[in-house]
Amino acid sequence: MATHGDVDPSLRPFAYRNRKIQNWAKTFQSAPELYFEPRNEEEVYKILESARRTGKTVRVVGSGHSPSDLALTNDYMVNLDKMARVLNVDKDRHQITVEAGMRLHELHQVLKDNGMALSNLGSISEQSVAGLISTATHGTGIKFSSLSTMVVSITLLTSTMRTITCSDTEYPEYFHAAQCSLGALGVITRITLQCEPFFRLEAIQTPSKLDPILDRFDQIVHSAEHVRIWWFPHTQNCVVWKANRTTNPVDHQTDSWTRDTLVGFHLYQFALNLSRFAPSTIPYLTRLIYNVVHKPLRRVVDDSYKIFNFDCLFPQYVNEWAIPYEKAPEALGRLDTFIQESNLRVHFPVEIRFVDADENVWLSPSYGRKTCYIGVIMYRPYHNPVPYKKYWAGYEDIMRSLGGRPHWAKAHSQTPEQLAKVYPKLHDFMRIRKELDPSGMFWNQYLHRHLGSIDKTYQISSKL
Ligand SMILES: Cc1cc2nc3c(=O)[nH]c(=O)nc-3n(C[C@H](O)[C@H](O)[C@H](O)COP(=O)(O)OP(=O)(O)OC[C@H]3O[C@@H](n4cnc5c(N)ncnc54)[C@H](O)[C@@H]3O)c2cc1C
């Protein structure tokens, strides 16, 4: 509930106190002094003016799905859920302009109604459009770049009270920085996205083994428009998921509630929770769930966004790095050896996805190189903690040694010096950041830790 006390009267209609904000996995939280839900750009300006006057930092939070403290602050937090309108639909060019707080699942429906769809997606559609692009969220498909490359133009409100609309042709440097800006340049209020005509996907899931996959890696990755591989560590078992555009009718004949929901979700969650007290059972559990739930062949046809998205099961610790595509077989082989030799008991899957190089998104983890993303996970059944730090340390050592770049949204341990070595445009990003936000209004603890100091102090609590 809003309790306004001494809040500037012009902010009161959209300002809230006593909001505790947690990310989706409940691994990080903060208690912003004021939480704002502005309804238009004028109200965003009022927030920025107030922050300037009072010396507060500002972070925008989207749907809070980043598994880190990236979006958090204890000063002013802004959420654009009330700025989620459609501003323009251009059916000829297949472009749509929306307010930046719109959630992806809402966007899909609007696009479908207008005969359009996004060309690629990640595993979920809970994100806000601005949140999605601010971390260069990716899907899979070796001929598809990060989702930030779908952006045609961005409107940004800055701490110097400027409204900037940028694109490839208008303020191109601002644009290339803003396409993945980590919330550090200002408040993104409007985004135009390039879409394509509405399409359905046919997805086929087949069981396979890790070694034969590594032997024919390139062939498998190029064998469909969208390919992902789930590897079940402690075993050689994998699932290869392939999806292609199709005109076939919707078909879910291979779905099974008992297998997918009862066993694959509820029983697995229960067993995972028990395995906290007997971690040695994890490899057996992995084999069992693989054989019952994931091994059977599946074929599904549906609207593209329903096929791209997955049930990500339970709250989780997650780490994911982008490595040069050609290093992927070596990375997976080394990860397998590390897990076996370190006597760890880790959860499945290790998720392997592919992204084409992008040439202009300065902070995209796939900037300038074809990329393989390798993601590792430790579930937190019923939000209970599980040990993961030794796993992360060994995993990160391997990814780092192969020139890896961590996914910005996820909790990682890279220092500013290490990141500067793998992001050739980081220096340019910091130059634009300084120009657009000289006072560091949008800097927070995460950015301080990973990109360096601009002399402020931040305190956010973490359950890590
Ligand atoms: C279950 C799950 C599945 C996921 N699957 C994938 C996947 O398949 N691929 C992938 O790449 N990632 C994936 N992610 C990560 C997710 O896509 C990113 O964390 C994304 O940034 C979250 O968007 P959000 O709206 O929740 O933004 P938040 O997490 O709230 O914020 C992310 C960043 O965006 C900034 N931001 C948000 N709105 C604005 C704005 N209006 N103006 C300026 N900055 C803004 C924030 O300040 C912050 O820096 C997944 C996460 C979860 C929890």
Side-chain angles (χ1 to χ4, degrees):
M1 210 182 83
T3 49
H4 290 120
D6 54 354
V7 177
D8 177 340
S10 72
L11 301 176
R12 285 182 190 171
F14 49 94
Y16 298 84
R17 277 204 197 282
N18 304 324
R19 287 268 174 109
K20 222 176 211 169
I21 304 300
Q22 293 189 318
N23 65 345
W24 174 81
K26 294 191 168 48
T27 46
F28 289 87
Q29 62 183 11
S30 67
E33 183 181 320
L34 284 173
Y35 182 87
F36 297 98
E37 289 181 345
R39 295 155 296 186
N40 51 50
E41 287 176 350
E42 239 171 81
E43 292 182 348
V44 175
Y45 266 126
K46 287 183 182 166
I47 299 164
L48 300 184
E49 265 163 19
S50 167
R52 237 155 83 107
R53 256 196 331 272
T54 52
K56 300 292 177 191
T57 59
V58 176
R59 290 299 283 170
V60 191
V61 66
S63 73
H65 269 65
S66 293
S68 66
D69 52 346
L70 173 63
L72 301 184
T73 178
N74 281 338
D75 278 5
Y76 282 5
M77 187 174 279
V78 180
N79 173 263
L80 299 194
D81 277 0
K82 297 218 164 83
M83 291 177 64
R85 287 165 285 245
V86 178
L87 301 174
N88 188 45
V89 178
D90 183 337
K91 289 192 186 183
D92 294 335
R93 293 184 185 180
H94 297 109
Q95 292 181 355
I96 188 164
T97 304
V98 294
E99 286 185 315
M102 178 174 272
R103 300 291 175 98
L104 277 193
H105 56 84
E106 294 163 349
L107 177 65
H108 298 325
Q109 202 48 57
V110 176
L111 288 175
K112 185 175 177 178
D113 293 345
N114 287 281
M116 298 195 280
L118 296 177
S119 298
N120 196 7
L121 278 178
S123 304
I124 55 167
S125 285
E126 313 307 314
Q127 306 98 321
S128 63
V129 177
L132 179 90
I133 66 154
S134 294
T135 61
T137 295
H138 65 93
T140 193
I142 195 64
K143 301 218 167 116
F144 293 79
S145 312
S146 93
L147 305 187
S148 291
T149 60
M150 299 189 302
V151 179
V152 175
S153 77
I154 291 174
T155 299
L156 197 65
L157 308 194
T158 71
S159 63
T160 52
M161 304 296 138
R162 288 174 71 190
T163 304
I164 299 168
T165 297
C166 54
S167 66
D168 257 330
T169 51
E170 222 181 334
Y171 300 115
E173 285 210 311
Y174 292 169
F175 183 58
H176 301 319
Q179 277 176 291
C180 172
S181 69
L182 313 174
L185 303 185
V187 182
I188 297 171
T189 54
R190 281 176 263 164
I191 297 178
T192 300
L193 291 165
Q194 183 64 53
C195 310
E196 68 176 64
F198 178 80
F199 61 99
R200 282 196 292 277
L201 282 172
E202 173 169 18
I204 297 181
Q205 239 173 266
T206 45
S208 189
K209 297 287 177 192
L210 185 60
D211 284 344
I213 288 177
L214 299 185
D215 290 343
R216 295 171 46 240
F217 201 71
D218 204 43
Q219 193 187 337
I220 291 169
V221 174
H222 288 85
S223 62
E225 290 173 78
H226 305 275
V227 175
R228 68 189 339 136
I229 299 164
W230 290 293
W231 166 42
F232 294 65
H234 302 300
T235 78
Q236 274 271 310
N237 296 328
C238 292
V239 168
V240 179
W241 177 95
K242 298 181 184 181
N244 285 305
R245 281 153 181 73
T246 184
T247 50
N248 287 335
V250 172
D251 183 350
H252 280 270
Q253 283 178 47
T254 56
D255 283 357
S256 153
W257 182 86
T258 309
R259 183 193 62 203
D260 301 338
T261 308
L262 183 64
V263 181
F265 188 91
H266 295 293
L267 280 180
Y268 181 42
Q269 184 181 34
F270 183 67
L272 265 182
N273 202 37
L274 291 184
S275 73
R276 289 191 303 124
F277 308 102
S280 61
T281 57
I282 288 174
Y284 302 100
L285 183 59
T286 296
R287 269 195 194 87
L288 177 74
I289 298 289
Y290 175 78
N291 284 320
V292 177
V293 180
H294 299 284
K295 195 172 173 191
L297 192 105
R298 295 177 196 217
R299 175 188 167 274
V300 228
V301 179
D302 213 328
D303 298 346
S304 54
Y305 60 91
K306 295 183 188 163
I307 297 289
F308 282 131
N309 284 170
F310 284 89
D311 183 350
C312 293
L313 298 180
F314 325 113
Q316 52 202 240
Y317 301 114
V318 53
N319 204 338
E320 186 182 32
W321 285 45
I323 58 168
Y325 169 69
E326 63 281 4
K327 307 269 189 196
E330 179 188 346
L332 291 164
R334 284 174 60 187
L335 188 58
D336 190 15
T337 306
F338 164 69
I339 292 169
Q340 286 184 45
E341 289 180 353
S342 56
N343 209 24
L344 287 168
R345 296 290 179 263
V346 306
H347 295 158
F348 72 79
V350 171
E351 188 171 37
I352 305 149
R353 291 183 279 179
F354 309 98
V355 178
D356 199 2
D358 50 72
E359 302 307 330
N360 290 318
V361 186
W362 287 351
L363 289 196
S364 162
S366 48
Y367 175 83
R369 64 192 200 193
K370 273 193 192 297
T371 290
C372 174
Y373 274 90
I374 298 179
V376 290
I377 203 163
M378 286 298 281
Y379 290 117
R380 307 178 62 226
Y382 307 108
H383 289 293
N384 282 315
V386 290
Y388 67 94
K389 288 185 180 170
K390 192 172 162 195
Y391 185 18
W392 270 209
Y395 159 85
E396 289 201 344
D397 281 347
I398 296 168
M399 299 302 135
R400 194 180 297 113
S401 72
L402 297 173
R405 299 166 177 163
H407 191 313
W408 292 110
K410 315 210 171 174
H412 61 88
S413 67
Q414 287 300 78
T415 62
E417 293 73 27
Q418 288 167 325
L419 288 168
K421 280 189 197 148
V422 288
Y423 278 97
K425 288 288 190 180
L426 185 57
H427 183 75
D428 290 307
F429 179 85
M430 296 302 269
R431 171 173 55 80
I432 296 296
R433 188 216 66 73
K434 198 169 176 193
E435 188 181 326
L436 297 184
D437 182 25
S439 67
M441 183 188 283
F442 293 101
W443 218 235
N444 75 346
Q445 183 170 289
Y446 172 105
L447 296 169
H448 178 87
R449 199 167 57 238
H450 298 300
L451 295 183
S453 165
I454 44 171
D455 302 319
K456 284 182 184 277
T457 50
Y458 321 86
Q459 283 169 357
I460 292 167
S461 75
S462 131
K463 292 179 183 162
L464 285 178

